[in-house]
Amino acid sequence: MANQVQYIFDQENLRKSAPQKFKSEDLKREEMIINIGPQHPSTHGVLRLEVLAKGEEVIEVVPHLGYLHRCFEKHAEKLPYNQIIPFVDRMDYLAAMNTEHAYAMGVERMLGIDKIIPKRVEYIRVLVAELNRLASHFIALGSYGMDIGAVTAFFWMTRDREHIVRLLEWASGARMLYNYIWVGGLFYDLPVGFEERCLEFTTYLKPKIKELERVVIDNKIFIDRTANVGVLPVDLAINYGITGPMLRGSGLKYDLRKVDGYSVYPEIDFDIPVGKGEAGTLGDCWDRTWVRVQECYESVKIIEQCLEKLTGEHKRTRDFDPRALAPKKIRPKAQDFYIRAENPKGETGFFFRADGRSDVPFRCKARGASFVNLSIINELSKGGLISDLIAVIGSIDIVLGEVDR
């Protein structure tokens, strides 16, 4: 054992670990292979793009995945249902509340307890999910502005996101990975004074979103970089399974909060913004960004309605226990079940296969919106410039924890 060789250097190791689609000997005149990432800041994580370019023109883009693979689905096959939630948080780590909400609803429906969850619990879930939707969109908008030269937007969005992060930390004890929405209930009720502080925040935030829209979204330089770039026709979006702001940016009013009407969303009044091609072509990068800004206004409306319910009809009482329906042992009947919900980036879904005997799922397959949305990057980028490719990546709004899982 003492003489055992642990590592043998091989000159082919790099080629084997990072395989290329294109080979240098096959290049035509003026063509070149460019690797963008996995350390490039504009790939929004450890994503590697293999770009075949002819001068400044993009011929083809090949995304290479797996640099952030954490084996979520294999972990889920070894853990009880209620212990999977912290791993769910680490998929889309910028919108952990929304992913927790989808997962918890799925297990509750398998157990048949989804209709008896207390209304206060449901309104708190929607409240924290919409706060997290705002935080996710702020990162998307701020980092996108920085990608194409509007650094001010990133500072503004980071400042405003910090208020949300502190509110969610006050409720759950964590800044990003919350483990707050449990199967059958919540980790804890909202802290005393949370609703009032939250209402103060929405009053502060509305003019800030307007300011962002005026200074960045309507800015001529921003429009020049994003209008008529990365145009996504609605039929192509449907064929690729694109969801979320990307699909709505192409003009289709499709939002699972309305389509499926889960939780208490049917009781809440809000609109679904869709792209209109106001600055360029319908479905371009500008439309997708504009839809995200409009969704921030809608999330604020939802938050205000939740706060009205939580301080009125469903206000806190001494005997309210958010864990009252949380089962100690989760053992659903044998079944295959799929649940989906509207994440800030699109449709997040979980497919469960339960054997009816164990509290550990036989299979838990996750559908990440970022993974599916990223698949269209070649269609959006080919024929454009390399600088436009950066604008396209940012407009997709990916998070690599959800792409690689």
Side-chain angles (χ1 to χ4, degrees):
M1 292 295 290
N3 296 325
Q4 185 177 357
V5 177
Q6 293 185 335
Y7 177 76
I8 300 174
F9 173 73
D10 183 353
Q11 289 185 332
E12 291 290 292
N13 279 349
L14 177 61
R15 185 185 63 79
K16 290 174 183 174
S17 64
Q20 300 276 110
K21 178 179 178 180
F22 308 112
K23 295 182 173 62
S24 55
E25 56 266 26
D26 297 334
L27 295 178
K28 298 174 185 174
R29 183 179 174 83
E30 294 186 7
E31 286 186 347
M32 55 184 171
I33 303 166
I34 304 172
N35 270 301
I36 300 178
Q39 277 78 34
H40 197 287
S42 290
T43 58
H44 293 251
V46 283
L47 170 68
R48 180 164 74 93
L49 297 176
E50 184 186 348
V51 182
L52 179 64
K54 186 176 182 179
E56 282 286 307
E57 182 187 352
V58 174
I59 307 299
E60 190 174 345
V61 180
V62 180
H64 290 264
L65 315 177
Y67 292 90
L68 200 64
H69 180 46
R70 273 91 48 88
C71 307
F72 164 76
E73 290 168 14
K74 295 308 287 184
H75 279 306
E77 291 174 19
K78 303 293 181 186
L79 291 166
Y81 287 94
N82 51 350
Q83 292 182 23
I84 294 172
I85 293 174
F87 292 85
V88 166
D89 283 336
R90 286 157 175 79
M91 285 174 48
D92 183 355
Y93 44 78
L94 297 176
M97 288 291 191
N98 302 79
T99 321
E100 285 178 18
H101 195 189
Y103 178 86
M105 283 194 306
V107 181
E108 285 162 5
R109 289 186 189 180
M110 291 168 71
L111 294 171
I113 62 172
D114 56 304
K115 303 295 185 190
I116 58 172
I117 301 294
K119 284 289 187 182
R120 180 169 174 83
V121 168
E122 291 283 19
Y123 274 105
I124 291 173
R125 286 178 173 184
V126 171
L127 171 66
V128 294
E130 292 304 319
L131 282 169
N132 219 174
R133 190 182 308 277
L134 280 172
S136 176
H137 280 344
F138 286 174
I139 286 289
L141 295 166
S143 59
Y144 190 42
M146 194 163 59
D147 283 346
I148 53 182
V151 182
T152 305
F154 183 74
F155 293 139
W156 285 358
M157 295 290 90
T158 305
R159 172 200 65 197
D160 295 336
R161 177 178 175 270
E162 185 63 26
H163 294 297
I164 298 172
V165 166
R166 288 180 179 178
L167 281 169
L168 294 177
E169 184 183 15
W170 190 20
S172 68
R175 284 173 60 87
M176 281 179 67
L177 309 170
Y178 306 106
N179 191 16
Y180 182 69
I181 298 175
W182 285 8
V183 176
L186 301 166
F187 159 67
Y188 205 69
D189 196 1
L190 293 176
V192 175
F194 185 92
E195 295 93 330
E196 291 75 15
R197 188 79 60 84
C198 206
L199 195 58
E200 288 174 16
F201 170 67
T202 58
T203 306
Y204 155 85
L205 185 63
K206 281 185 273 191
K208 301 297 180 186
I209 301 173
K210 194 70 184 172
E211 189 176 28
L212 170 82
E213 198 172 6
R214 190 175 67 251
V215 174
V216 180
I217 307 303
D218 296 337
N219 185 298
K220 185 184 186 306
I221 299 171
F222 186 86
I223 293 171
D224 288 345
R225 287 296 309 274
T226 56
N228 302 310
V229 173
V231 177
L232 175 59
V234 69
D235 56 342
L236 188 65
I238 293 168
N239 290 341
Y240 267 82
I242 305 302
T243 53
M246 281 195 73
L247 179 61
R248 294 189 286 277
S250 296
L252 184 63
K253 190 175 276 195
Y254 183 86
D255 188 311
L256 293 176
R257 293 173 294 176
K258 291 282 191 183
V259 173
D260 288 357
Y262 60 88
S263 192
V264 289
Y265 281 110
E267 302 171 21
I268 296 172
D269 177 42
F270 64 100
D271 298 320
I272 308 299
V274 293
K276 300 172 184 175
E278 290 179 357
T281 309
L282 178 64
D284 58 15
C285 291
W286 189 90
D287 267 347
R288 292 192 281 276
T289 310
W290 181 84
V291 164
R292 290 189 181 98
V293 173
Q294 300 310 308
E295 283 190 6
C296 291
Y297 288 117
E298 297 307 317
S299 288
V300 169
K301 277 168 58 177
I302 295 170
I303 289 166
E304 288 176 337
Q305 290 173 68
C306 288
L307 291 171
E308 186 180 339
K309 291 285 187 180
L310 291 170
T311 53
E313 187 180 346
H314 305 296
K315 64 183 179 184
R316 71 178 72 240
T317 56
R318 284 185 177 275
D319 58 346
F320 173 69
D321 181 8
R323 300 187 191 181
L325 289 174
K328 298 290 185 289
K329 198 83 165 173
I330 299 172
R331 193 172 291 149
K333 294 176 183 176
Q335 60 187 297
D336 288 355
F337 189 80
Y338 180 73
I339 184 70
R340 60 184 187 171
E342 189 68 33
N343 189 278
K345 295 161 184 65
E347 178 184 324
T348 291
F350 292 95
F351 168 78
F352 299 96
R353 174 164 289 177
D355 58 14
R357 300 187 304 272
S358 172
D359 65 338
V360 176
F362 181 80
R363 183 81 167 95
C364 178
K365 167 77 174 71
R367 182 209 192 268
S370 298
F371 176 77
V372 180
N373 291 352
L374 180 63
S375 66
I376 205 166
I377 189 168
N378 182 51
E379 294 285 349
L380 298 184
S381 306
K382 62 185 178 184
L385 302 177
I386 291 174
S387 58
D388 293 338
L389 172 60
I390 301 302
V392 168
I393 298 167
S395 75
I396 295 174
D397 183 23
I398 57 169
V399 61
L400 264 293
E402 195 178 45
V403 173
D404 287 353
R405 296 191 299 285

